[in-house]
Amino acid sequence: MMINKYKLATAVKSAIGIGALSFVLAGCGSDGKDGEDGNNGEIAVHIDSVTAVKTEVDLASYDDASGTLTVEFNLTNLNGVAVTGLEDLTDPLRLSFGRMGTKAEAFLPYDIIDSEGNSTTVDSRGDGEREIWLSYRNKQNDDLVTGTDNWRPNRNCPEGQQCLEYLGSGKYRITAPDVIDTKSLDYGYDSAQVQGIYLMTYGAGANKVKNVEAYYWEPATERPVSSPKSVLESQTCTSCHVGEEHIRHGNYGNTADGCLFCHTDYTQYAGTGTDDEGNEINFTIDGSIKGLAHAIHTGATEGDRRSVGKFDAVIANAEKNPVFGYKYDRAAQVDEEGNPLKPLNYPAVTASCESCHVQYTETEETLPEDVTVHALDWFKDMDADSCQSCHGDYHYGGRTTTDETGVSYVGCVACHTSNDGNTRGGAFRHFAGHEKDSRESAIEAGKLIETQYSNIVWNSDVSELSFTVNLMLGEQAVTSAHVSQVSIYANAIDSAAPDAFLASRPSAEVTANADGSFGVVVDATGSSYTLPALAEAIDNGADLALSASFSACFTNKTSTLLELSEGECSGILSANAAKTEFLKLDGTAGAERASAVNYENCASCHNNDMVVRSSGFHYRNADLHTCAQCHEAGDYNSMIVRVHGTFGKAHGREDVQALVDTKTCTACHDDANYSLENARSTPMRWNRKDETFSSPQAGVCASCHVSESYQDSPQVESAKSHIENMGGIVAGTYEDAQMANETCLTCHNADKVAENHKLK
């Protein structure tokens, strides 16, 4: 037990008084003089008693003469109290050390075989001056540099030396001699470059706590500087990989430049596969963080993406792209019904560059503050390898050039070298509407079409709603000549309490008009699953909610509309599930449906289609209200039930849980929007296969806690009983769910929900 001497001395003096204390001391042979108070005791906790730590590096410096790196850092718990005992552990720390440099410094000449079987040595790179991060400690396997060899105090400290020492008050010092070993790569320490360390507290103490801290400095001044090569904002990764354990390696910081310490631009891995004839194929994998992120996310191969021209020839061609063909094609193996055997759990695909490179402009002056000029490289295609991590050795991806200095590898950058469109910079090829002299992603162009509603008429005598729809691509009308079919969804919202759709989804008849618009007639009398008819809601004064869904034909590699030929599109069909418009019968703005979820949180992960599945393209360009047109008012599960994961759907799926689990409410909800106060006022469908409903608050909780996807059966039954004892209805009739007097909110307020879900 640690005793604070100052507190003890003060307590004694207060209890017996100064005079009495002097008498006691005199009685013990005192010379009549009080001694000085001792030093204050250290206020600290031991590493074995903490469940989380944070690290702050005070300084880092490298002595080139002795080859020694010195790092001083503070270790505290989350409340800022010093943590002791780290120096007594067997293997508590791992340290990466590196600097900025160029691709040429990390280039190993290699041999290529031409079409005639002749071997030529490639001795330089066309992108050799491109700035990259270099590790001072490389791992090497045969001819491949396979990442960073982290320095560890217990493993790498010379015998008889103390490489990790405790300085007091939670401060430690690392002394790392002979820390630089770049293996076969011919570079060393360079004091003119920004240096950096990545310090990992790795499974330390009884509770195996982890923490990471990056620190950069200029050797000339030994002053800290910001990250010298930050090309992504961290949230572009963590918007999908929600939670510390929901990315490879767990809590390693989850930032792209942090991953860069190990996954450098020259990291490569060996891979093997088997071709159609059973022969073993050997290939290499780009092990950089950029290469891995591109290649892994290429595995999101939903049906409409595979229908893009040249997909099989470009990406899925195992001969030209073995990394995808043999390793990352998650839809290659299918069952008897043609469904992929492996789950397709990457809703953010590599073809949508803006899922990661999301806010970047083309000029350095307009870049976000927390990224560097290197963020512009994706516009200029400065990297000879980045395209090949998706496209493989396609269209001269491995191109070389020869001059008097020898053979140089130039790859895609031989042509794709500018952002002005003249050489078709690859960045512009992946999205539409950029207004550049460059090719575009035609399959994305449907997002540019806007929907307009007019001439709204409600005929209460026959319960018929009619209106006109105009589809516009800027100033150009999108007509039946470009669109083979338009689907319309109509529902109603209570203008006073617009928290749910009021009616079942009715049928709508859409007719092409001579002027290019579309006429819509909605039969508002239909009802299903006991939900009221639309006519009843409108007659009671509700506002309208209108959505459209269609696919328009575009010329390949453009945002130019293409007319259909005999009803067929000879170019590219691009889908649009239009955002829902809320209108009153007179055409003015109506009440917008309230939602507890921020759709931007959903779209940050589901950037391409709302779900990854073979028929997923009808979700493109939607918003949460459009999704709810089916999932709240039709023959599908309610949004809450569907997304939370009852019966193993959506986020309840095991493969999705590897990215974000439903317990992390803030993945979808802002602030305290997950509070039961935000539950809708109407019953929610429990199961689309029958006519069961849950009461509003009960449905929110039961969608997880009464799901076998999450709990063992006894826990499921216990949760169900608890909900029902509090007045909630789970999987009951619509009438019972509507009349339920549930009291969940009495105990489960926003703070309690946050506490139970470990959000605070």
Side-chain angles (χ1 to χ4, degrees), residues 520-534:
V520 181
V521 177
V522 179
D523 177 3
T525 62
S527 62
S528 60
Y529 292 100
T530 73
L531 292 177
L534 177 62

Side-chain angles (χ1 to χ4, degrees), residues 202-340:
Y202 190 83
N207 295 310
K208 306 298 181 184
V209 293
K210 293 182 180 180
N211 183 250
V212 294
E213 179 74 10
Y215 181 85
Y216 304 93
W217 75 97
E218 292 179 335
T221 63
E222 292 196 352
R223 294 182 63 84
V225 296
S226 58
S227 171
K229 197 176 188 298
S230 179
V231 299
L232 301 178
E233 295 171 297
S234 64
Q235 64 265 30
T236 61
C237 300
T238 56
S239 61
C240 285
H241 297 275
V242 179
E244 293 181 350
E245 300 301 327
H246 287 80
I247 198 168
R248 184 73 171 176
H249 306 308
N251 182 16
Y252 267 23
N254 295 0
T255 60
D257 55 333
C259 301
L260 190 67
F261 272 86
C262 288
H263 296 284
T264 61
D265 271 45
Y266 52 87
T267 299
Q268 290 186 308
Y269 303 126
T272 60
T274 304
D275 64 16
D276 294 338
E277 299 177 355
N279 301 313
E280 184 175 89
I281 306 298
N282 297 313
F283 56 91
T284 58
I285 299 171
D286 182 352
S288 70
I289 186 57
K290 164 238 356 178
L292 290 176
H294 286 182
I296 291 170
H297 290 97
T298 305
T301 51
E302 69 275 20
D304 66 318
R305 183 159 182 253
R306 285 185 176 271
S307 68
V308 173
K310 298 184 180 179
F311 181 90
D312 291 333
V314 178
I315 294 177
N317 186 330
E319 181 179 347
K320 293 184 178 295
N321 190 4
V323 176
F324 179 80
Y326 295 120
K327 186 173 179 63
Y328 289 119
D329 186 0
R330 302 178 68 86
Q333 295 179 308
V334 297
D335 60 22
E336 296 178 353
E337 298 178 354
N339 298 314

Side-chain angles (χ1 to χ4, degrees), residues 37-266:
D37 288 340
N39 293 329
N40 293 345
E42 184 178 50
I43 300 175
V45 291
H46 193 271
I47 185 68
D48 286 338
S49 66
V50 298
T51 57
V53 294
K54 55 184 178 181
T55 310
E56 182 180 0
V57 176
D58 268 354
L59 67 89
S61 63
Y62 181 76
D63 186 336
D64 196 15
S66 64
T68 300
L69 172 70
T70 301
V71 178
E72 291 186 3
F73 67 95
N74 298 296
L75 189 69
T76 66
N77 67 7
L78 299 186
N79 292 322
V81 179
V83 174
T84 63
L86 196 66
E87 75 281 8
D88 298 324
L89 301 180
T90 301
D91 189 18
L93 297 174
R94 300 183 182 187
L95 182 69
S96 296
F97 180 31
R99 67 168 171 87
M100 289 296 292
T102 65
K103 192 65 179 275
E105 289 184 272
F107 178 72
L108 286 171
Y110 60 90
D111 294 334
I112 59 171
I113 308 296
D114 63 21
S115 58
E116 299 178 356
N118 301 315
S119 176
T120 304
T121 300
V122 178
D123 49 17
S124 64
R125 293 183 62 97
D127 60 356
E129 296 306 309
R130 188 172 68 87
E131 288 187 300
I132 66 171
W133 186 257
L134 301 173
S135 174
Y136 281 130
R137 295 182 59 81
N138 292 321
K139 288 181 180 178
Q140 187 157 349
N141 185 6
D142 296 330
D143 294 330
L144 302 178
V145 176
T146 58
T148 291
D149 183 18
N150 296 320
W151 187 91
R152 307 184 194 181
N154 69 317
R155 186 181 68 178
N156 302 107
C157 189
E159 186 175 355
Q161 292 190 28
Q162 185 177 7
C163 293
L164 176 62
E165 55 184 318
Y166 183 58
L167 304 179
S169 300
K171 177 172 285 191
Y172 294 83
R173 178 187 293 131
I174 298 172
T175 305
D178 302 321
V179 70
I180 294 180
D181 183 5
T182 59
K183 301 299 183 185
S184 60
L185 297 181
D186 188 21
Y187 64 85
Y189 179 71
D190 185 350
S191 61
Q193 299 285 358
V194 171
Q195 316 289 308
I197 59 169
Y198 201 59
L199 180 61
M200 291 171 276
T201 307
Y202 190 83
N207 295 310
K208 306 298 181 184
V209 293
K210 293 182 180 180
N211 183 250
V212 294
E213 179 74 10
Y215 181 85
Y216 304 93
W217 75 97
E218 292 179 335
T221 63
E222 292 196 352
R223 294 182 63 84
V225 296
S226 58
S227 171
K229 197 176 188 298
S230 179
V231 299
L232 301 178
E233 295 171 297
S234 64
Q235 64 265 30
T236 61
C237 300
T238 56
S239 61
C240 285
H241 297 275
V242 179
E244 293 181 350
E245 300 301 327
H246 287 80
I247 198 168
R248 184 73 171 176
H249 306 308
N251 182 16
Y252 267 23
N254 295 0
T255 60
D257 55 333
C259 301
L260 190 67
F261 272 86
C262 288
H263 296 284
T264 61
D265 271 45
Y266 52 87

